[in-house]
Amino acid sequence: MRAVIKGIGSYLPEHVMTNAEMSKIVETSDAWIQERTGIQERRIAAEGQFTSDLGYEAAKAALSDAGMTADDIDLIIVATSTPDLTFPATATIIQEKLGMKHGAAFDIQAVCSGFIYGTHVANALLRSGGAKRAILIGAETFSRILDWTDRGTCVLFGDGAGAVLIEAIDDAQENVEAGILHTFVRSDGRHRDMLYVDGGPSRTQTVGHLRMLGNQVFKHAVTDIAQVMRDCAERAGVKISDIDWFVPHQANQRILNAVAKRLKLRPGQVISTVAHHANTSAASVPLAMDRAVKDGRIKRGDLVMLEAFGGGFTWGAALLRY
Ligand code: ACO
């Protein structure tokens, strides 16, 4: 069995918050933010608009792209660190919004690596017969967990959602070349204090705010992302130089540039949306991939590497033929 991406979609909230608007909230400047991160603007969810609302819109777009309805799918996985509620899973809220009364739905929590972890899990379930068609969604409202007095973090993040529809296909019968070729995920809990939220139901009974040692995270991210992509490609029996497109987690343009330099990637091979989306955590990879598919860069048959790094630390990569 192979897990093949049949549809992709995304959704961004309407409100565009520019760096100029940000500089009215904290002492910062467009020049500082652009020079250190490449970010020009980010989207912010409206009052009363929740992670499930963003994820639902992205799921509908992926279903429509695949020419399918909720009746055709039997699994929903949502990668998020900003669920609507502590429980139930945001995936079940989206399931109800889609009018889906069958199948199963659950959330995955791996912070910014959530979509890669979700790809890892969906691939395993689809290939082993655990489901036939899954919608994998990355959806976040990080604006709700930011400390809007901390200029070192609040300028970096935004809200959004992206989704893919993945189908299990018997390649002996259908002779397909497309599909997820390999996924490789890692974590190292020793570094959890470098990037975390200082609240939660069990410890504080509060939601908490994002805390980060930015320059420490930066160093680990560059080293670990480059290594996990090498490992994923090697395990798939593919050379980095054979890969057409790289769709990274969109945290910081300087991280993307540093990783591209280490892996000697060709100019233009790395999809970047960080200037307009900022860091949307688990939503950033499907948002960026959707952009590159819709504007015609990523085509059917292309070899695509997805990667991400986030709190935990967690990190990982997924290699697929689109
Ligand atoms: N505007 C203006 N000045 C600022 C701002 C701001 N928004 N934020 C920090 N500064 C100041 C600091 O106060 C400091 O001033 P000082 O020298 O007078 O003390 C100075 O800028 C330098 O601060 P640093 O934190 O050392 O700046 P650095 O070059 O490391 O850039 C940044 C900070 C952009 C956060 C960088 O470290 C980074 O991108 N790290 C990676 C973070 C990341 O991508 N995290 C997400 C990955 S995982 C996930 O997505 C959840």
Side-chain angles (χ1 to χ4, degrees), residues 22 26-29 32-33 36-37 111-113 142 150-157 195 210 212-219 221 249-252 254-255 279-281 309-311 313:
M22 187 64 79
V26 284
E27 200 185 325
T28 188
S29 66
W32 192 94
I33 300 172
R36 303 285 176 128
T37 70
V111 204
C112 300
S113 312
F142 258 52
D150 174 15
R151 65 180 182 171
T153 54
C154 73
V155 303
L156 303 173
F157 295 89
L195 177 53
L210 184 146
M212 177 170 71
L213 300 174
N215 44 18
Q216 299 293 322
V217 175
F218 193 104
K219 284 179 207 150
H249 169 48
Q250 309 284 318
N252 182 318
R254 284 162 53 218
I255 295 180
N279 182 345
T280 56
S281 191
F309 181 91
F313 290 147

Side-chain angles (χ1 to χ4, degrees), residues 64-131:
S64 152
D65 189 46
M68 293 184 197
T69 70
D71 291 340
D72 298 314
I73 57 167
D74 54 0
L75 178 66
I76 300 175
I77 303 176
V78 174
T80 189
S81 302
T82 46
D84 285 25
L85 300 163
T86 301
F87 79 79
T90 301
T92 61
I93 301 173
I94 294 174
Q95 181 187 29
E96 190 268 334
K97 282 176 187 279
L98 288 170
M100 184 180 153
K101 298 184 191 75
H102 61 280
F106 63 90
D107 287 1
I108 278 191
Q109 218 291 40
V111 204
C112 300
S113 312
F115 191 80
I116 305 298
Y117 271 65
T119 305
H120 185 66
V121 171
N123 186 38
L125 281 170
L126 291 167
R127 293 181 71 160
S128 64

